[in-house]
């Protein structure tokens, strides 16, 4: 892993217990004598989740974080929770082109999935957040999102006997502060993991788990169509920023922080493709309605300009190849969304 956080402890056992697959893949190679040129190998090992030394995992903290995540008391009028936009049954997104905040205004960008949040080294479409802890109060206090001042939230929680008890269980001091709220929500989100997909069963050795069409789609994905240049590894992202020739207008993405960079103008974070088929519409601005539309976009190559990534240029896919790629993308949908260990189910 390129982005292990300092001396942070890696709770590999926890990952394995929640995705039985990880263990299977780690302990037994797919073949006795693995063919190292097999492109499937690059997608096998799930990324280890790193709990920072400053905020280690505990069941009580994850359970408290889960409660906060699903609680509309975190918004001004008590109508929106984190899960209103990051809905487990919608691939931890909301199926809207833009997030819609409590007062009904559309946000500038689409709600991203949280399926990669646990291992992502940097968060936000333009990389504006450095950690999960660091995200927390931006949605809570933004008038266009949850619209609740920090001091009002803290007062609310301190006035609730159940929360007073749960914070006392989760933190030695029992303090209800900005930091303890951030730590509990971040710990819960680090437990969010994609469910096992047909693709996972296929790379673990079940040759019939996905169709021949989808298998050909995977060959295109890692070959001719160049998708895996960016959508790489078990999470299908390089966690980096690219202009894929889609963005237009004022939002220049990562370029905002690097105004002199040619390549970061219109660059946005490569999203994970886990559960992608149930997360329409697509892209940071929700501008592409369907997966067919996404494939057509890459086939055409998008807007030709100096910042466009070199891997993105017209592909010349046949209709049958496009159907193969689509079939492959559909194999990435996991089974039921997993939930925090030791916590009651959200549904
Ligand atoms: C109104 C919809 C909405 C609500 C409510 C909301 N979010 Fe989000 N969330 C978004 C949008 C839109 C973004 C993308 C923001 C950006 O990239 O600038 C986002 C981004 C994130 C990210 C970064 C994910 C990534 O991979 O880059 C995390 C983590 C996150 N939200 C957690 C939360 C938490 C925790 C809460 C509750 C305290 C919450 N969100 C409430 C819409 C929402
Ligand atoms: C140069 C890196 C790069 C390559 C090559 C690439 N992608 Fe992407 N992909 C991205 C980035 C960056 C985004 C987000 C762009 C945005 O939001 O504006 C994205 C978005 C997507 C999305 C939308 C996901 C979502 O949640 O919105 C899908 C689906 C997708 N790509 C599939 C593919 C396929 C299929 C290929 C090959 C034909 C491919 N990508 C090639 C970087 C890449």
């Amino acid at each position: 892993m390129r982005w292990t956080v300092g001396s942070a402890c890696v709770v590999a056992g926890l990952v394995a217990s929640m995705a039985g697959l990880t263990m299977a893949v780690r302990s037994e190679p797919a073949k006795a004598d693995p063919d190292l040129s097999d492109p499937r190998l690059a997608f096998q090992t799930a990324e280890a989740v790193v709990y920072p030394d400053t905020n280690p995992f505990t069941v009580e903290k994850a359970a408290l974080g889960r409660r906060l995540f699903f609680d509309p008391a975190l918004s001004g009028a008590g109508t929106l929770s984190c899960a209103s936009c990051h809905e487990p049954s919608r691939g931890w997104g909301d199926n809207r082109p833009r997030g819609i905040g409590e007062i009904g205004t559309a946000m500038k960008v689409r709600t991203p999935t949280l399926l990669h949040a646990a291992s992502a080294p940097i968060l936000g479409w333009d990389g504006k957040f450095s950690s999960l802890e660091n995200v927390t109060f931006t949605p809570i206090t933004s008038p266009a999102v949850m619209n609740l001042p920090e001091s009002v939230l803290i007062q609310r929680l301190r006035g609730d006997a159940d929360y007073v008890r749960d914070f006392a269980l989760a933190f030695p001091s029992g303090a209800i502060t900005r930091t303890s709220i951030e730590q509990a929500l971040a710990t819960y989100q680090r437990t969010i993991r994609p469910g096992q997909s047909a693709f996972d069963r296929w790379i673990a050795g079940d040759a019939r788990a996905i169709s021949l069409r989808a298998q050909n789609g995977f060959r295109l994905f890692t070959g001719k169509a160049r998708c895996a240049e960016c959508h790489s590894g078990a999470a299908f992202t390089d966690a980096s920023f690219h202009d894929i020739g889609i963005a237009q207008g004022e939002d220049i993405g990562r370029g905002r922080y690097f105004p002199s960079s040619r390549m970061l103008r219109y660059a946005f974070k490569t999203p994970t493709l886990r559960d992608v088929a149930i997360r329409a519409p697509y892209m940071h601005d929700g501008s592409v309605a369907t997966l067919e539309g996404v494939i057509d976009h890459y086939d055409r190559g998008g807007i030709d300009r100096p910042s466009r990534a070199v891997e993105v240029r017209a592909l010349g896919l046949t209709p049958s190849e496009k159907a193969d790629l689509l079939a492959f993308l559909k194999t990435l949908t996991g089974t039921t969304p997993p939930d925090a260990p030791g916590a009651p189910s959200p549904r």
Side-chain angles (χ1 to χ4, degrees):
M1 286 237 327
R2 278 176 294 131
W3 53 75
T4 309
V5 180
S7 61
C9 85
V10 177
V11 187
L14 176 69
V15 185
S17 71
M18 289 191 297
L21 161 91
T22 319
M23 215 40 155
V25 169
R26 283 208 179 132
S27 52
E28 332 154 2
K31 293 185 206 159
D33 181 17
D35 171 6
L36 295 178
S37 66
D38 185 338
R40 287 181 294 178
L41 287 178
F43 295 85
Q44 271 187 346
T45 310
E47 293 168 325
V49 174
V50 176
Y51 289 91
D53 286 346
T54 48
N55 188 18
F57 176 84
T58 68
V59 171
E60 293 77 15
K61 216 193 294 172
L64 170 62
R66 187 197 158 278
R67 197 173 156 209
L68 290 165
F69 191 87
F70 290 93
D71 192 345
L74 268 62
S75 67
T79 58
L80 267 196
S81 70
C82 307
S84 305
C85 297
H86 301 285
E87 269 191 63
S89 61
R90 297 177 186 270
W92 301 88
D94 56 10
N95 291 137
R96 289 176 158 155
R98 307 287 169 102
I100 307 284
E102 178 157 72
I103 57 170
T105 43
M107 295 171 68
K108 292 199 180 80
V109 282
R110 184 182 130 235
T111 306
T113 178
L114 297 184
L115 284 170
H116 180 235
S119 51
I122 185 165
L123 297 146
W125 286 106
D126 60 4
K128 66 164 73 64
F129 305 114
S130 60
S131 70
L132 279 172
E133 285 80 355
N134 174 246
V135 174
T136 317
F137 274 86
T138 302
I140 294 174
T141 58
S142 300
V145 192
M146 299 172 91
N147 196 25
L148 181 63
E150 178 182 327
S151 58
V152 181
L153 171 61
I154 290 172
Q155 256 174 6
R156 249 185 219 178
L157 298 177
R158 285 181 183 164
D160 180 318
D162 289 344
Y163 271 120
V164 170
R165 181 202 59 210
D166 288 355
F167 275 85
L169 288 171
F171 296 96
S173 68
I176 302 181
T177 59
R178 179 181 176 114
T179 304
S180 58
I181 295 166
E182 287 173 348
Q183 293 194 339
L185 273 166
T187 301
Y188 170 63
Q189 291 172 88
R190 290 193 175 102
T191 69
I192 295 172
R193 216 72 85 248
Q196 205 199 40
S197 64
F199 174 77
D200 295 316
R201 292 197 300 278
W202 181 58
I203 59 172
D206 177 354
R208 294 189 181 184
I210 69 173
S211 66
L212 290 174
R213 205 174 245 298
Q215 294 181 28
N216 196 41
F218 177 68
R219 274 189 287 279
L220 290 162
F221 188 86
T222 51
K224 176 179 172 181
R226 296 189 288 266
C227 315
E229 296 290 323
C230 303
H231 297 283
S232 53
F236 291 87
T237 167
D238 57 2
S240 190
F241 302 85
H242 309 273
D243 170 16
I244 59 161
I246 217 143
Q248 295 186 64
E250 282 167 26
D251 192 350
I252 55 166
R254 191 77 178 140
R256 179 177 305 129
Y257 307 107
F258 299 91
S260 60
S261 161
R262 173 169 61 95
M263 297 309 282
L264 290 177
R265 200 174 164 78
Y266 298 117
F268 292 85
K269 197 173 65 169
T270 310
T272 176
L273 298 182
R274 292 280 174 182
D275 276 2
V276 72
I278 61 167
R279 293 196 283 102
Y282 301 103
M283 306 304 170
H284 71 283
D285 55 1
S287 61
V288 183
T290 61
L291 280 180
E292 287 87 341
V294 172
I295 293 168
D296 283 338
H297 164 80
Y298 283 112
D299 187 45
R300 287 191 305 268
I303 302 169
D304 185 0
R305 55 190 170 201
S307 54
R308 187 182 62 174
V310 288
E311 297 86 357
V312 178
R313 52 187 191 274
L315 294 171
L317 298 173
T318 66
S320 172
E321 286 175 329
K322 289 183 183 179
D324 293 351
L325 263 179
L326 179 65
F328 163 66
L329 291 173
K330 288 182 174 172
T331 69
L332 300 178
T333 305
T335 47
T336 50
D339 195 27
S345 164
R347 274 143 294 131

